[in-house]
């Protein structure tokens, strides 16, 4: 796996990023960028999920040509939706099409509790791009019965179910029953248990009929030993067995996922025609070439060009990008993001980026592991304009791409923070009861309200702009050395970099924080979250599986344990409730620095055993008693731990066959958006 990038939940901010149900009190205005206070941020809540909206404030500043570009790129962003569903699990598309047909066509009772349970299940499938939880990877089981499901399908009229040739409705029902309702069938999207075959035990659709050993053999033979510019082998393919042979099916316009890729290419070609400048046009054209051929060399060329395009106001990601969903850390899930540069906020990230060498030189790691020259860390702040594939509706708030190590080393990378997503989160959470419940003191709560968002944004910038880009590997060590422990270790490395530096006077010097008091808010939030509040996202009896959560748990438990003799962080009880209090911020900072040095050493030397010991000891296990307490306190607040974002809708204004303007609107109905996507972007 690769050096990377997605900070899924704003750490410093996790306390604020949780929103109570506000219900739908009034129909929200569907106008462009209304004032924050009048805007309905949260539009839906179900299971452990909530749906917010985000505003694209920079959209109105764009020229008509830039708006047209955003529109085409947005269509390309939605056109790959089916790919993500198909990749997550081989039956996801069949299931989604069946569910969509019932939602559209069921003529029976749509008001009762059974229907409500059905709709919760449907919305969860839409949210996760499949039937496995988007974050915990477990298959979620419907709360209605198989018989009720059968009655829904049979009671639907005027809609087409996805029947194979010769298949009847009853065949479809029989086929889907175990897939939906039997907990043992394809229970986990990704197996993380190193004692079993990671490939055969994962339901994710990157492999079919092959074992872990066969996959390792295939890529072991493909990968050249001394190639300084290796392609990302296997990134855009599926490995299957054909006539007894292990082969790759490669995604391209005429290959795997061809019909969806053809649509993506169709819209990208239009986008190339209205590109802002030559560089951007070349970027888009190279991406088209890559989609036409499936050639990963072209993908690298595209990435090099893309890194070089820093002048454009509109930018995008579209492709097979992140490898989190592959237990072997090689195959990427399709995603898309269209974004607009936020000019004011970009200056903040640029200040950090400009000082990159200072940060590297002063980092508390072994000098052998430091980059002599930190290169090309470009930093900017963006507003998301359209989310697609794996980043819809659950989106990261920071991105650092490309992932290929040699490109990052030679050409640098682009690091961005999604300002409007963070902003929507903050606005939606102002009324949350989460802070008062889990902050130990009034002072801590005040600090989190006063500085939380600012410190959180800065933390994200430090994590993305500097953290992932810092450090170097020893000769002969590859980023795959840490295997299944790569992701949590890499996230911890970037996070510790942010934690170490946010408490540095340099932050005040650069004008990024008003005082180091603001940095305390970030430490408070991290300790609270890593030791306690992130447990709200874990079901009783389960351990921690997600890479970012493992990272946070590991970092917080490590510093807690090491600081115990000096009472750096203490566990407190008040009114029968558990809290964690930081008593010495300077000492805590030193502990973060020490752990950063440890983790950098593990990364630089590719020390698998040390990575495993650290992650397994501090990052995975859950204290069942504390877990139960936290879940009970949390349940009383009626909050949803995971957030997704409804997309705006873009409508072209056409005169004489040409697009002369694009209107943006902010719908409030998640179900309507999902049904529309299902109709408009169903290509596989
Ligand atoms: Zn990261």
């Amino acid at each position: 796996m690769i050096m990377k990038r997605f900070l899924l939940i704003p750490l410093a901010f996790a306390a604020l990023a949780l929103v109570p149900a506000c219900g739908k009190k009034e129909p929200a205005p569907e106008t462009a960028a209304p004032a924050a206070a009048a805007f309905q941020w949260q539009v839906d809540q179900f299971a452990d999920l909530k749906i917010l909206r985000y505003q694209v404030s920079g959209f109105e500043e764009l020229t008509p040509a830039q708006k047209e570009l955003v529109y085409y790129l947005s269509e390309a962003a939605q056109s790959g939706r089916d790919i993500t569903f198909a990749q997550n699990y081989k039956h996801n598309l069949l299931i989604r099409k069946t569910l969509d047909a019932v939602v559209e066509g069921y003529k029976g009772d749509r008001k009762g509790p059974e229907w409500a349970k059905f709709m919760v299940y449907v919305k969860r499938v839409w949210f996760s791009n499949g039937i496995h939880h988007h974050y915990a990877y477990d298959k979620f089981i419907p709360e209605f019965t198989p018989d009720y499901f059968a009655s829904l399908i049979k009671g639907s009229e005027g809609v087409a179910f996805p029947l194979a040739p010769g298949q009847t409705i009853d065949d479809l029902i029989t086929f889907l029953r175990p897939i939906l309702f039997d907990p043992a069938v394809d229970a986990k999207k990704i197996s993380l248990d190193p004692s079993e075959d990671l490939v055969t035990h994962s339901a994710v659709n990157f492999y079919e009929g092959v074992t872990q050993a066969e996959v390792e053999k295939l890529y072991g033979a493909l990968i050249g030993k001394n190639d300084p510019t290796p392609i990302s082998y296997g990134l855009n393919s599926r490995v299957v067995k054909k006539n007894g042979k292990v082969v790759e099916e490669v995604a391209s316009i005429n290959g795997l996922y061809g019909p969806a890729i053809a649509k993506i290419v169709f819209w990208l070609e239009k986008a190339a025609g209205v590109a802002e400048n030559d560089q951007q046009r070349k970027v888009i054209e190279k991406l088209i070439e890559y989609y036409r051929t499936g050639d990963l060399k072209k993908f690298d060329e595209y990435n090099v060009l893309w890194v070089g395009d820093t002048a454009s106001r509109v930018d995008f990601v579209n492709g097979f990008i992140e490898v989190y969903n592959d237990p072997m850390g090689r195959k990427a899930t399709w995603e898309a993001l269209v974004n607009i540069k936020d000019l004011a906020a970009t200056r903040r990230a640029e200040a950090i980026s400009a000082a990159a060498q200072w940060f590297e030189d002063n980092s508390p790691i072994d000098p052998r592991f430091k980059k002599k020259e930190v290169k090309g860390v470009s930093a900017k702040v963006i507003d998301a304009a359209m989310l697609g594939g794996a980043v819809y509706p659950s989106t990261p708030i920071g991105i650092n791409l490309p992932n290929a190590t040699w490109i990052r080393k030679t050409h640098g990378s682009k690091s961005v923070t999604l300002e409007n997503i963070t902003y929507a989160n903050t606005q939606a959470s102002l009324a949350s009861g989460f802070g008062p419940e889990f902050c130990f003191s009034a002072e801590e709560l005040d600090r989190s309200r006063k500085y939380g968002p600012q410190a959180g944004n800065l933390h994200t910038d430090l994590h993305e702009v500097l953290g992932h880009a810092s450090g170097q590997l020893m000769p002969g060590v590859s980023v795959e050395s840490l295997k299944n422990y790569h992701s949590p270790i890499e996230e911890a490395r970037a996070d510790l970099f942010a934690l170490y530096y946010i408490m540095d006077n340099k932050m005040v010097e650069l004008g990024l924080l008003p005082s180091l008091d603001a940095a305390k808010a970030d430490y408070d939030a991290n300790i609270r979250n890593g030791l306690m509040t992130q447990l709200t996202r874990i079901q009783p009896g389960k351990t921690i599986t997600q890479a970012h959560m493992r990272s946070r748990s590991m970092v917080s438990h490590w510093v807690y344990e090491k600081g115990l003799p000096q009472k750096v962080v203490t566990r407190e009880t008040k009114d029968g409730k558990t809290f964690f209090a930081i008593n010495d911020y300077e000492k805590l900072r030193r502990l973060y620095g020490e752990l950063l040095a440890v983790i950098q050493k593990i990364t630089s030397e590719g020390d698998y055993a040390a990575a495993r010991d650290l992650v397994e000891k501090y990052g995975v296990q859950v204290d069942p008693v504390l877990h139960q307490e936290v879940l009970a306190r949390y349940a009383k607040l009626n909050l949803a731990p995971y957030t997704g974002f409804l997309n705006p809708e873009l409508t072209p204004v056409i005169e004489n066959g040409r697009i002369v303007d694009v209107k943006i609107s902010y719908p409030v109905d998640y179900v309507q958006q999902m049904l529309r996507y299902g109709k408009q972007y169903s290509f596989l």
Side-chain angles (χ1 to χ4, degrees):
M1 250 200 262
I2 5 220
M3 304 265 298
K4 197 27 243 202
R5 33 274 112 198
F6 271 52
L7 185 64
L8 283 163
I9 288 294
L11 268 177
F13 210 97
L16 293 173
L18 297 149
V19 185
C22 66
K24 287 190 194 174
K25 286 179 219 96
E26 52 189 16
E30 288 205 17
T31 53
F39 195 73
Q40 183 190 341
W41 295 98
Q42 181 166 333
V43 296
D44 211 341
Q45 181 168 340
F46 45 90
D48 54 355
L49 311 169
K50 62 179 174 291
I51 304 285
L52 309 181
R53 300 190 295 172
Y54 61 94
Q55 295 179 329
V56 193
S57 51
F59 191 78
E60 298 308 327
E61 296 168 10
L62 300 182
T63 64
Q66 286 171 323
K67 288 182 182 175
E68 191 177 352
L69 175 63
V70 170
Y71 172 71
Y72 294 143
L73 291 172
S74 295
E75 289 297 305
Q78 293 311 336
S79 296
R81 180 175 185 246
D82 278 3
I83 300 175
T84 308
F85 273 86
Q87 287 185 305
N88 281 342
Y89 178 50
K90 61 185 171 186
H91 299 308
N92 274 339
L93 282 176
L94 182 74
I95 295 164
R96 194 198 73 208
K97 287 173 185 178
T98 304
L99 298 175
D100 282 11
V102 171
V103 176
E104 298 261 26
Y106 184 60
K107 298 298 175 212
D109 176 22
R110 296 171 72 112
K111 296 221 154 55
E114 287 305 294
W115 178 259
K117 286 177 190 166
F118 171 72
M119 283 310 298
V120 167
Y121 181 74
V122 176
K123 289 190 214 175
R124 294 185 75 182
V125 173
W126 286 334
F127 190 103
S128 291
N129 293 303
I131 62 171
H132 298 88
H133 195 280
H134 74 291
Y135 212 71
Y137 308 143
D138 296 324
K139 182 166 91 173
F140 42 85
I141 307 297
E143 289 185 8
F144 49 87
T145 66
D147 287 347
Y148 178 69
F149 184 55
S151 75
L152 290 178
I153 292 177
K154 289 183 170 170
S156 297
E157 294 168 20
V159 286
F161 284 95
L163 300 177
Q167 197 183 33
T168 66
I169 285 284
D170 282 317
D171 295 338
L172 177 69
I173 292 168
T174 307
F175 181 75
L176 287 179
R177 182 175 292 223
I179 294 171
L180 264 61
F181 294 94
D182 184 342
V185 173
D186 296 326
K188 276 200 163 294
K189 181 160 103 179
I190 307 156
S191 168
L192 293 167
D193 181 350
S195 71
E196 58 190 22
D197 186 311
L198 297 176
V199 167
T200 56
H201 284 79
S202 300
V204 73
N205 188 23
F206 292 129
Y207 308 97
E208 183 77 47
V210 291
T211 64
Q212 182 175 346
E214 286 170 325
V215 172
E216 283 170 349
K217 191 171 160 223
L218 173 74
Y219 289 108
L222 276 178
I223 296 169
K225 286 288 167 285
N226 293 312
D227 186 352
T229 61
I231 58 167
S232 303
Y233 289 95
L235 188 76
N236 61 342
S237 69
R238 206 168 157 257
V239 176
V240 299
K241 205 173 262 181
K242 269 190 188 141
N243 305 322
K245 274 195 73 178
V246 178
V247 293
E248 275 192 312
E249 290 177 346
V250 177
S252 78
I253 202 163
N254 294 312
L256 183 65
Y257 310 129
I261 290 174
K263 283 289 174 186
I264 296 170
V265 167
F266 171 84
W267 290 111
L268 287 177
E269 282 174 336
K270 290 192 174 291
V274 291
E276 289 180 67
N277 50 57
D278 267 6
Q279 175 80 10
Q280 189 179 50
R281 187 174 43 72
K282 283 184 197 150
V283 170
I284 300 171
E285 286 171 353
K286 189 58 80 174
L287 181 60
I288 292 170
E289 246 183 278
Y290 158 63
Y291 273 135
R292 287 193 180 283
T293 57
D295 181 354
L296 287 168
K297 267 219 168 352
K298 301 219 180 292
F299 182 60
D300 282 350
E301 290 165 20
Y302 150 78
N303 277 311
V304 170
L305 288 168
W306 180 75
V307 168
D309 177 18
T310 50
S312 302
R313 182 86 194 266
V314 175
D315 202 359
F316 72 104
V317 173
N318 187 306
F320 301 92
I321 308 292
E322 299 297 344
V323 298
Y324 300 139
N325 283 340
D326 178 6
M328 304 300 288
R330 186 173 292 287
K331 309 207 167 288
T333 307
W334 193 89
E335 68 175 52
L337 165 72
V338 185
N339 61 75
I340 300 167
K341 192 189 282 187
D342 182 325
L343 301 178
T346 293
R347 284 192 279 275
R348 182 187 72 216
E350 279 171 353
I352 299 171
S353 182
Q357 195 64 53
W358 183 90
F359 286 103
E360 188 76 356
D361 294 346
N362 289 280
S363 162
I365 63 175
D366 188 321
R368 288 183 301 140
F369 307 143
K370 290 186 188 183
K371 278 204 181 94
K372 301 291 165 276
E373 198 186 337
V374 187
K375 224 170 179 175
V377 187
S378 104
K380 64 175 180 174
V381 179
I382 59 172
D383 283 337
M386 192 60 65
L387 309 167
V391 300
Y392 173 88
S394 172
T395 176
I397 54 152
I399 299 176
N400 184 341
L401 292 171
N403 285 329
T405 315
W406 73 265
I407 298 179
R408 299 172 69 87
K409 209 170 149 194
T410 319
H411 302 277
S413 61
K414 275 203 256 190
S415 179
V416 298
T417 309
L418 285 72
E419 188 86 349
N420 61 336
I421 296 293
T422 308
Y423 183 74
N425 238 340
T426 312
Q427 291 298 329
S429 46
L430 284 178
S432 166
F434 193 86
E437 180 61 41
F438 291 104
C439 287
F440 178 55
S441 63
E443 192 192 341
E444 185 185 328
L445 180 61
D446 281 352
R447 201 159 44 217
S448 105
R449 287 190 168 141
K450 194 167 169 195
Y451 298 120
Q454 189 182 6
N457 283 340
L458 182 58
H459 179 110
T460 307
D461 288 342
L462 290 167
H463 175 117
E464 298 291 347
V465 175
L466 300 175
H468 282 305
S470 72
Q472 65 176 0
L473 304 180
M474 291 290 95
V477 174
S478 92
V479 287
E480 286 89 9
S481 310
L482 302 181
K483 294 183 205 170
N484 50 318
Y485 297 109
H486 167 79
S487 288
I489 289 288
E490 176 58 18
E491 289 312 319
R493 201 175 69 84
D495 240 15
L496 285 160
F497 202 95
L499 287 163
Y500 181 75
Y501 276 119
I502 202 166
M503 197 60 89
D504 197 294
N505 276 322
K506 192 84 176 169
M507 294 299 118
V508 182
E509 218 177 276
L510 291 172
L512 299 167
L513 287 181
S515 69
L516 289 185
D517 232 30
K520 289 183 181 174
D522 193 47
Y523 278 23
D524 295 338
N526 272 273
I527 287 295
R528 224 162 40 223
N529 194 33
L531 293 179
M532 189 167 57
T533 55
Q534 74 166 1
L535 294 176
T536 57
R537 305 160 137 229
I538 307 285
Q539 301 206 335
K542 297 270 161 82
T543 57
I544 301 172
T545 53
Q546 207 279 339
H548 294 81
M549 290 179 70
R550 284 185 164 191
S551 152
R552 282 177 220 135
S553 173
M554 173 174 71
V555 167
S556 297
H557 283 97
W558 193 93
V559 294
Y560 175 71
E561 186 189 288
K562 302 293 172 194
L564 263 186
Q566 295 181 286
K567 297 190 163 46
V568 178
V569 179
T570 48
R571 183 173 172 152
E572 310 285 347
T573 310
K574 201 169 63 179
D575 306 329
K577 294 174 177 176
T578 304
F579 298 88
F580 289 90
I582 301 172
N583 306 303
D584 191 328
Y585 288 85
E586 250 319 301
K587 284 197 179 118
L588 180 55
R589 184 188 181 211
R590 282 205 288 279
L591 289 170
Y592 283 139
E594 278 173 35
L595 184 56
L596 174 57
V598 169
I599 295 225
Q600 183 61 54
K601 184 169 190 292
I602 289 172
T603 305
S604 292
E605 295 179 340
D607 189 343
Y608 176 81
R612 179 196 59 209
D613 293 349
L614 207 53
V615 174
E616 293 292 343
K617 179 166 182 198
Y618 297 100
V620 177
Q621 297 307 321
V622 174
D623 169 356
V625 179
L626 178 62
H627 190 195
Q628 201 175 25
E629 178 199 318
V630 168
L631 288 178
R633 285 161 68 183
Y634 184 70
K636 286 196 188 135
L637 300 172
N638 189 28
L639 306 173
Y642 301 100
T643 305
F645 292 85
L646 201 64
N647 274 325
E649 295 193 355
L650 301 177
T651 313
V653 180
I654 298 169
E655 277 174 21
N656 302 322
R658 283 192 55 237
I659 294 180
V660 293
D661 194 12
V662 178
K663 297 284 177 213
I664 191 166
S665 62
Y666 301 96
V668 294
D669 193 326
Y670 181 52
V671 174
Q672 286 312 313
Q673 182 156 92
M674 290 296 81
L675 291 177
R676 182 172 76 78
Y677 284 5
K679 282 205 206 74
Q680 220 165 314
Y681 304 108
S682 196
F683 305 122
L684 296 180

